[in-house]
Amino acid sequence: MKPGIHPAYGPVVFRDKAADFAFLTRSTATSEKTVEWEDGNTYPVIDVEISSQSHPFYTGTARVLDTAGRVERFQRRYGSTA
């Protein structure tokens, strides 16, 4: 890699306040806010609105739409143009 053009890559805590969930990972994202992690070190923290702990797809609360009924309803309304 070319030196001097890439952002700093380091440990960052992402925190989902809705689900009271946080995880430590590495990222180029930065923040002025910090938090003390379980290992006793202080890391920058980024608050997110949705994570895997609060997203409907991952929590099993996602709704499944009946797309087959919509196709038949469209065919009844507009018919086929053949």
Side-chain angles (χ1 to χ4, degrees), residues 12-24:
V12 176
V13 173
F14 287 92
R15 179 173 53 192
D16 181 0
K17 290 201 169 210
D20 194 30
F21 175 72
F23 58 94
L24 176 66

Side-chain angles (χ1 to χ4, degrees), residues 37-73:
W37 193 243
E38 300 160 353
D39 61 2
N41 294 326
T42 302
Y43 299 106
V45 63
I46 297 176
D47 293 322
V48 294
E49 293 180 19
I50 295 179
S51 70
S52 61
Q53 294 295 314
S54 62
H55 192 279
F57 179 79
Y58 296 107
T59 59
T61 59
R63 295 179 295 170
V64 177
L65 299 175
D66 179 24
T67 57
R70 291 181 180 193
V71 172
E72 281 85 19
R73 188 172 27 183

